[in-house]
Amino acid sequence: MEHKTAALAEADRLMTVCNSCRYCEGLCAVFPAMEMRRSFADGDLTYLANLCHNCTACYHDCQFAPPHEFAVNVPKVLAEVRNDSYAQYAWPAALRPVFRRNGLWIGLACAALVTLFLIGTFLWNGAEMFSAHTAPENFYALMPHNVMVALFGPAFLFAILAITMGARAFWRDISARDMGDGAGQAGIDHARAGHDAGALTYLDGGGDGCMNADEQTSDNRKLWHHLTFYGFLLCFASTSTGTLYHYLLGREAPYPWWDLPVVLGTVGGIGLVAGTLGLLRAKLRQYRDVRDETRFGMDTAFIAMLFATGLTGLLLLVLRATPAMGVLLAVHLGVVMTLFLTAPYGKFVHGIYRYLALARYARERRGALGAQHA
């Protein structure tokens, strides 16, 4: 079968070998999904690659791993296919090359430029950048609320649109169009996928955990992922709550430390900082032979942006009544803007695509169980 890329062709070869062996079928969802196929189109391989959680247990368990002549390295090859899929489905298509360039230094440079722009905007408007702002308007003394919404609203909406369009194309290509057996059944599949995604069901390597370079299951990637993911959701909930306060209740920021937006943001920020530091440490300890080194910069850039978002948000909360507030506000908003702008063209989309792959797997598994009982 012809494939679009060398990575897809290699993934086809490996899945053919693995389908003959089936030793790893109890490790995660990839191998049971693989066993439902006898041939692998590009959409099938993309689906399997995004179903993979990169725990690397199959590499360490494999009797055909390098230096065996079969050279079976499923985690690395599926990582290459998975990373290629992010660029393949990026919208608009003209921005797909951004994936290749979206490294750590590009992200930091973008954040720095946006920060400098905001500082210049504050100074242009005559704001007191280096004075303590204890008046009720606080943040809005530097940037009025409407100006903030005008700058960040379009960036956020564009990110949502771009991610939605990419996810739609991905969903279509993994042959999900045959999932038309009723809204109720589809709802069950998505509920199962939501559970598996939220609990990171398949990030445990079959029960022992993710492997690191020492072949030990001690890198706690599931914990770091949970802290990062739920920390991000809490930060988003904090911003959403603040928006409701502003427009529905007429209550403007800043809020006291005990109020809901601050509590949510504080707990979320702590989770983001702790989780991203753990993820970065786990990534650096990962066995190099299973990494897609060509996209290492993209991975670290995403982790760095999330870390900086959490850290600058916490610093802004602690120092918001000091002369440092103006600079910290510009830095925090610069990081958040960069996160919005790069989200559709970086590692952020992996959570969306993995959820959709899990929904597809839930459908296939339900169909297979139904066939067995028929």
Side-chain angles (χ1 to χ4, degrees):
M1 183 180 295
E2 293 292 328
H3 295 287
K4 291 181 180 178
T5 66
L8 287 166
E10 177 63 3
D12 189 346
R13 183 185 75 86
L14 296 189
M15 291 298 95
T16 302
V17 174
C18 293
N19 225 347
S20 301
C21 174
R22 302 194 174 188
Y23 179 79
C24 295
E25 65 181 2
L27 294 181
C28 69
V30 172
F31 298 100
M34 171 200 72
E35 292 172 9
M36 297 178 192
R37 292 160 170 79
R38 294 296 177 267
S39 62
F40 302 94
D42 286 354
D44 295 321
L45 296 168
T46 298
Y47 157 56
L48 294 175
N50 281 277
L51 201 55
C52 171
H53 285 54
N54 202 234
C55 72
T56 75
C58 61
Y59 177 84
H60 295 286
D61 286 356
C62 183
Q63 59 187 320
F64 302 127
H68 192 279
E69 61 180 329
F70 288 178
V72 173
N73 190 339
V74 171
K76 180 177 182 179
V77 174
L78 291 190
E80 292 172 353
V81 173
R82 186 166 57 249
N83 288 330
D84 285 344
S85 73
Y86 304 154
Q88 177 185 349
Y89 299 109
W91 184 91
L95 295 179
R96 288 174 184 172
V98 173
F99 273 90
R100 292 289 180 186
R101 305 187 185 98
N102 189 9
L104 177 60
W105 295 112
I106 297 297
L108 293 176
C110 182
L113 287 173
V114 176
T115 298
L116 290 174
F117 169 77
L118 291 173
I119 289 176
T121 302
F122 295 166
L123 295 174
W124 179 266
N125 291 327
E128 295 291 336
M129 275 287 298
F130 306 105
S131 300
H133 291 270
T134 56
E137 62 268 20
N138 200 258
F139 302 141
Y140 303 142
L142 294 173
M143 177 179 283
H145 181 268
N146 291 338
V147 174
M148 199 176 295
V149 171
L151 284 175
F152 286 84
F156 176 73
L157 292 175
F158 174 78
I160 295 296
L161 174 62
I163 292 171
T164 300
M165 295 298 290
R168 178 175 175 270
F170 172 79
W171 184 242
R172 183 179 61 247
D173 260 20
I174 64 171
S175 302
R177 285 171 294 182
D178 65 349
M179 297 175 68
D181 52 353
Q185 294 295 342
I188 293 173
D189 297 334
H190 281 282
R192 180 69 188 187
H195 170 270
D196 289 342
L200 293 174
T201 302
Y202 299 110
L203 196 63
D204 58 6
D208 295 326
C210 297
M211 298 279 191
N212 57 33
D214 300 323
E215 299 190 24
Q216 301 297 314
T217 56
S218 58
D219 67 2
N220 293 320
R221 278 178 59 203
K222 179 176 281 191
L223 171 62
W224 307 132
H225 272 89
H226 275 144
L227 286 174
T228 301
F229 177 65
Y230 291 108
F232 178 82
L233 288 185
L234 286 173
C235 289
F236 185 76
S238 171
T239 302
S240 300
T241 304
T243 301
L244 293 176
Y245 274 20
H246 184 94
Y247 288 106
L248 294 183
L249 303 181
R251 296 180 54 192
E252 295 186 353
Y255 305 109
W257 64 267
W258 44 262
D259 215 340
L260 188 57
V262 179
V263 173
L264 291 173
T266 301
V267 177
I270 293 171
L272 267 183
V273 170
T276 50
L277 286 176
L279 284 177
L280 182 59
R281 180 173 181 268
K283 185 169 289 295
L284 294 174
R285 294 180 65 206
Q286 190 178 42
Y287 195 40
R288 285 185 174 272
D289 284 4
V290 300
R291 287 187 197 167
D292 177 11
E293 294 285 1
T294 64
R295 306 299 174 85
F296 190 74
M298 179 182 71
D299 290 355
T300 53
F302 177 55
I303 294 173
M305 286 300 104
L306 288 176
F307 170 79
T309 298
L311 180 62
T312 57
L314 291 173
L315 290 174
L316 185 59
L317 173 66
V318 173
L319 301 175
R320 64 185 180 181
T322 73
M325 190 272 280
V327 173
L328 283 173
L329 178 63
V331 173
H332 180 64
L333 294 179
V335 171
V336 172
M337 175 68 85
T338 300
L339 185 63
F340 285 170
L341 293 176
T342 59
Y345 311 105
K347 193 62 180 291
F348 184 89
V349 299
H350 88 287
I352 309 295
Y353 292 0
R354 183 157 290 157
Y355 164 79
L356 293 175
L358 286 167
R360 172 66 185 177
Y361 177 63
R363 163 66 177 86
E364 290 189 340
R365 183 171 54 178
R366 179 166 55 81
L369 291 174
Q372 290 176 5
H373 292 110

